[in-house]
Amino acid sequence: MNPNSILGRYLIRQLVWNFLFVLLMVLGVVFMFEMIELLRKASGRDDVGMVLLLQLAFTKLPKTIEMVFPFVMMIAAMITFWKVSKLNEFVIIRAAGVSIWGFLCPILLATFLIGVINITIVNPISARMYAYYEELDYKFDTRNPDAVLFSERGLWIREAINADNFLVLQAKSARQENEKLFLRDVTIIEMDRRSQQEKRLEAYVAELGKGYFDLKDVHVFVPGKPTETLSSLRYKTGLTLERIKENFVKPEAISFWSLPDTISFYERSGFSAQKHKLRYMTLLISPFLLCAMVLVAAVFALRPNNRRGGVMFLIVGGITTGFLVYFLSQLVYALGSNGQIPLPLVVFTPTAVVSLISVSVLLHLEDG
């Protein structure tokens, strides 16, 4: 079926409206329960106002919705298919000579486009909101309204200088003021690939500029040479404030468009980027996962006749299958994040298995 035909546009419109309805309903329920939990945690605290609680609940919404997004799409598809079957529209469409695959074509196309919009437009906004939530949550837990995410943890950073050398930067404390980062008691050690020290710099304070650290009260130690003392020194670096923040936030708080650069930076610096790679590949495959969930919905909700199970079969079977798919996906992702399974296999296996099983069942129903 041509997705641009009258029937194709009708099915797409039905799916989109049902998707928005289910999404808004889930958003409202999640926001309500999140606010109840935050009010419980903030009870008895005079330093926490309602504005902060609303900010925490609102900025956490994208992270929670991302977890249930495939379920939202599956439920929206089930509602769409159930309505089409209940009104006998599916029987009429089949009687007109349209196969089940022609019927599903515009719906799968719309689902795929929703997935693409989610990772290219919605995800960067959600990542920024979740990063802001992490900062607010840290302030909420530390009871310090001026705290930044890494203020009391110190700082350890490894950065590649060139193909043969790298540096390790350690600071006892870090403080952010507006868009500036200040470090105290800074040590920078330059090493070769055999981890042999070539130079060490110690500074009382350092300020991160654009492409450099502005070091104050610096002592430079080079093996075989006398110690050099400088009042100030500009030290070249590829680090930025955003890059340093990424060391203290989860991959979910990094935008889809920023993940490739983050992965490349970590690999050049010698850090493991396994979780970031898994996150990036999971986002890439997510439109196909949504299509797989629509196929699952079709198995339970598209009924060419009324001799199969009723509404209870539809609800229980669909929800059970959805939770089973989610549980197995998370199990496989956990194994992949630990490096026990190759990442391509981790990401593609759940979607491929669900799709193949659903297609097989639909082929059986089509032949029947």
Side-chain angles (χ1 to χ4, degrees), residues 31 50 58 70 124 146 172 203 230 274 279 283 289 339 352 367:
F31 185 81
M50 183 58 68
F58 181 72
D146 300 320
K172 290 186 177 179
L230 303 172
Q274 188 83 354
R279 170 66 175 171
L283 288 174
L289 177 61
D367 291 339

Side-chain angles (χ1 to χ4, degrees), residues 81 294-303 308 313 357-359 361-362 365:
F81 295 149
V294 169
L295 292 175
V296 171
V299 170
F300 289 94
L302 272 183
R303 297 180 293 173
R308 288 202 293 148
F313 172 80
I357 293 176
S358 300
V359 168
V361 175
L362 290 173
L365 295 176

Side-chain angles (χ1 to χ4, degrees), residues 347-365:
V347 174
F348 288 99
T349 296
T351 301
V353 170
V354 173
S355 300
L356 290 174
I357 293 176
S358 300
V359 168
S360 299
V361 175
L362 290 173
L363 283 172
H364 173 72
L365 295 176

Side-chain angles (χ1 to χ4, degrees), residues 34 37-42 45 47-48 51-61 63 128-153 248-250 253:
E34 192 64 38
E37 176 63 17
L38 287 171
L39 287 170
R40 184 191 65 80
K41 292 173 62 177
R45 288 185 56 175
D47 59 319
V48 177
V51 175
L52 177 60
L53 296 180
L54 288 172
Q55 287 178 330
L56 281 167
F58 181 72
T59 52
K60 192 180 179 182
L61 274 180
K63 168 63 178 173
R128 181 62 63 89
M129 290 177 65
Y130 187 65
Y132 185 54
Y133 164 78
E134 292 255 289
E135 294 184 7
L136 290 176
D137 188 54
Y138 185 60
K139 293 177 181 179
F140 180 79
D141 291 338
T142 58
R143 306 189 178 216
N144 181 7
D146 300 320
V148 294
L149 192 58
F150 44 83
S151 62
E152 297 180 2
R153 304 182 183 183
F248 300 90
V249 298
K250 299 177 181 178

Side-chain angles (χ1 to χ4, degrees), residues 120-344:
T120 57
I121 299 176
V122 179
N123 174 262
I125 300 173
S126 300
R128 181 62 63 89
M129 290 177 65
Y130 187 65
Y132 185 54
Y133 164 78
E134 292 255 289
E135 294 184 7
L136 290 176
D137 188 54
Y138 185 60
K139 293 177 181 179
F140 180 79
D141 291 338
T142 58
R143 306 189 178 216
N144 181 7
D146 300 320
V148 294
L149 192 58
F150 44 83
S151 62
E152 297 180 2
R153 304 182 183 183
L155 185 65
W156 283 91
I157 292 290
R158 176 173 170 169
E159 179 186 5
I161 300 174
N162 50 49
D164 300 319
N165 302 89
F166 67 93
L167 66 86
V168 175
L169 182 147
Q170 189 269 333
K172 290 186 177 179
S173 66
R175 186 181 78 258
Q176 179 187 351
E177 294 181 3
N178 297 323
E179 295 301 318
K180 294 183 179 180
L181 178 67
F182 296 93
L183 309 176
R184 187 174 62 83
D185 293 334
V186 181
T187 300
I188 300 175
I189 302 176
E190 296 183 4
M191 302 183 192
D192 58 23
R193 287 299 170 183
R194 296 175 300 170
S195 297
Q196 298 296 316
Q197 180 176 318
E198 295 183 344
K199 182 191 290 188
R200 186 173 90 253
L201 295 88
E202 295 181 357
Y204 179 66
V205 293
E207 178 185 348
L208 178 62
K210 293 184 178 180
Y212 64 89
F213 278 110
D214 191 3
L215 306 176
K216 301 294 184 182
D217 296 331
V218 189
H219 299 278
V220 182
F221 304 91
V222 179
K225 295 183 180 181
T227 301
E228 185 178 2
T229 302
L230 303 172
S231 60
S232 64
L233 175 67
R234 281 196 170 184
Y235 190 85
K236 186 178 179 182
T237 181
L239 294 171
T240 62
L241 179 59
E242 293 300 320
R243 186 72 70 196
I244 291 176
K245 281 185 176 182
E246 287 170 0
N247 285 272
F248 300 90
V249 298
K250 299 177 181 178
E252 290 80 2
I254 303 176
S255 165
F256 169 78
W257 301 108
S258 301
L259 277 170
D261 290 338
T262 303
I263 293 170
S264 177
F265 173 81
Y266 281 162
E267 289 180 338
R268 288 198 313 268
S269 301
F271 286 111
S272 172
Q274 188 83 354
K275 291 184 179 181
H276 296 79
K277 287 182 180 178
L278 178 61
R279 170 66 175 171
Y280 184 63
M281 297 179 70
T282 302
L283 288 174
L284 285 177
I285 201 65
S286 60
F288 298 96
L289 177 61
L290 295 181
C291 291
M293 300 303 284
V294 169
L295 292 175
V296 171
V299 170
F300 289 94
L302 272 183
R303 297 180 293 173
N305 56 67
N306 295 323
R307 287 178 295 176
R308 288 202 293 148
V311 178
M312 188 57 64
F313 172 80
L314 165 71
I315 296 174
V316 175
I319 293 178
T320 302
T321 304
F323 273 106
L324 183 62
V325 171
Y326 178 77
F327 173 77
L328 293 177
S329 299
Q330 295 303 309
L331 178 62
V332 174
Y333 290 165
L335 295 174
S337 63
N338 294 328
Q340 299 181 20
I341 302 177
L343 284 182

